[in-house]
Amino acid sequence: MRHSAIQQRRFVIVQICVLASSSSGNSTFIRTEKTRILIDAGLSKRDVLARLAAINEDAEKLDAILITHEHSDHVSGLVALARMLNVPIFITRLTAPAIPWGEYLPRLDCFQAGTTFCIGDIEIDSFTIPHDAIDPVGFCFRTQGMKVGLVTDLGYVTDSIKFHLRGSHLLVLESNHDLEMLKVGPYPWSVKQRVMGRKGHLSNDVVCDFIRSDLDSTIHTLVLGHLSEHNNHPEIVRNQAYRALDRARRALFTRLVVAEPKQQSEVFTY
């Protein structure tokens, strides 16, 4: 039995855990046998360390931190974490100056949005997304035939994004708000317009349209995240997405997971 368990571990190609995904903080962990990467650090340093420890991961073993954009719910813990770990930070050339580094001199590895680069045994495609940040990007991670897509904080799904996500086996996608909840919710009208705009956030309706029309048949697991805590609810997201999967005849083939605010996900293992 022990030998079997060891053999099973050897065949693990990639593991992914959404440490946090909501309007109050975002961070995702991905690892292979050789490489460990953190995408965004929108939690406090203490929370990042605790959530990694909860899945038996040591932050000291991180090989790099990737940043999608400069908004605080994606970088609020970045400087403190980078000071502690002193690992390379992969960030676009335009986004890097927008981070409040203070007197700290980070180990920056700046890239141009749209380029492909490698960290350890993971090949990473970056691509531009429509959001009201300086130079926001999404990522796809490829290793040993596995592909993971990560795209949140976008106003709509462009043809370029659809192209980049093709062939993904696991996709983490934003499902930020319910339109009716947003319209009657507590936000000022100017903020509501921003959220609904072409550089805002994806609504549940838009995500369901994407599922029905553009979800690739290769996707085994669809993780919907970055839910607004004021203008959405996990059960609304879950119910609407299930119906969309059913209409697309994907309900039996695609596992749906909703990343609930302030909770980390399970560890997805392939």
Side-chain angles (χ1 to χ4, degrees), residues 171-203:
L171 172 60
V172 181
L173 179 67
E174 171 177 72
S175 192
N176 178 257
H177 61 277
D178 175 85
L179 275 172
E180 292 307 312
M181 288 182 69
L182 176 64
K183 289 175 181 177
V184 301
Y187 289 178
W189 178 243
S190 60
V191 176
K192 294 178 182 181
Q193 287 180 306
R194 170 191 168 266
V195 171
M196 291 185 290
R198 297 276 281 179
K199 292 188 176 182
H201 292 274
L202 291 186
S203 70

Side-chain angles (χ1 to χ4, degrees), residues 89-97 107-112 115:
I89 299 169
F90 286 74
I91 189 169
T92 74
R93 293 183 177 89
L94 297 177
T95 299
R107 293 175 58 191
L108 296 183
D109 199 318
C110 294
F111 62 91
Q112 183 75 32
T115 58

Side-chain angles (χ1 to χ4, degrees), residues 9-39:
R9 284 200 298 272
R10 284 177 181 167
F11 287 111
V12 170
I13 296 173
V14 62
Q15 292 183 312
I16 306 99
C17 180
V18 179
L19 302 180
S21 183
S22 75
S23 302
S24 59
N26 298 273
S27 189
T28 300
F29 173 76
I30 183 168
R31 66 159 293 183
T32 65
E33 186 178 346
K34 300 177 180 179
T35 308
R36 291 168 172 82
I37 299 172
L38 189 73
I39 305 100

Side-chain angles (χ1 to χ4, degrees), residues 56-259:
N56 298 314
E57 293 290 345
D58 182 359
E60 296 281 355
K61 294 182 179 180
L62 283 173
D63 294 289
I65 301 173
L66 272 63
I67 298 300
T68 59
H69 63 291
E70 77 279 4
H71 289 169
S72 62
D73 59 326
H74 292 259
V75 301
S76 62
L78 175 62
V79 176
L81 196 62
R83 281 179 181 272
M84 172 189 166
L85 301 176
N86 196 34
V87 295
I89 299 169
F90 286 74
I91 189 169
T92 74
R93 293 183 177 89
L94 297 177
T95 299
I99 306 297
W101 303 111
E103 297 180 359
Y104 173 62
L105 295 177
R107 293 175 58 191
L108 296 183
D109 199 318
C110 294
F111 62 91
Q112 183 75 32
T115 58
T116 296
F117 52 92
C118 289
I119 301 175
D121 61 347
I122 302 178
E123 191 169 13
I124 301 164
D125 301 317
S126 67
F127 49 91
T128 296
I129 59 177
H131 190 53
D132 58 351
I134 293 172
D135 192 23
V137 292
F139 294 112
C140 284
F141 304 86
R142 292 180 283 122
T143 182
Q144 299 183 58
M146 273 293 304
K147 182 174 180 179
V148 176
L150 175 65
V151 55
T152 64
D153 295 73
L154 66 164
Y156 67 106
V157 185
T158 66
D159 288 341
S160 172
I161 293 171
K162 293 174 186 177
F163 172 80
H164 280 287
L165 296 181
R166 286 176 191 162
S168 296
H169 300 94
L170 182 144
L171 172 60
V172 181
L173 179 67
E174 171 177 72
S175 192
N176 178 257
H177 61 277
D178 175 85
L179 275 172
E180 292 307 312
M181 288 182 69
L182 176 64
K183 289 175 181 177
V184 301
Y187 289 178
W189 178 243
S190 60
V191 176
K192 294 178 182 181
Q193 287 180 306
R194 170 191 168 266
V195 171
M196 291 185 290
R198 297 276 281 179
K199 292 188 176 182
H201 292 274
L202 291 186
S203 70
N204 299 340
D205 291 342
V206 171
V207 170
C208 288
D209 286 342
F210 173 80
I211 291 172
R212 286 189 293 265
S213 303
D214 297 291
L215 190 72
D216 202 305
S217 61
T218 59
I219 291 177
H220 175 269
T221 304
L222 173 63
V223 183
L224 297 180
H226 210 301
L227 276 64
S228 168
E229 295 176 52
H230 298 289
N231 304 303
N232 214 347
H233 190 279
E235 284 307 310
I236 294 175
V237 175
R238 190 173 288 112
N239 290 337
Q240 291 187 2
Y242 270 133
R243 287 198 296 269
L245 284 168
D246 189 54
R247 288 191 62 183
R249 298 184 180 180
R250 294 291 307 161
L252 296 178
F253 308 101
T254 301
R255 183 185 175 210
L256 174 67
V257 177
V258 177

Side-chain angles (χ1 to χ4, degrees), residues 34-49:
K34 300 177 180 179
T35 308
R36 291 168 172 82
I37 299 172
L38 189 73
I39 305 100
D40 287 334
L43 301 170
S44 68
K45 179 183 76 173
R46 181 179 66 180
D47 283 346
V48 170
L49 299 181

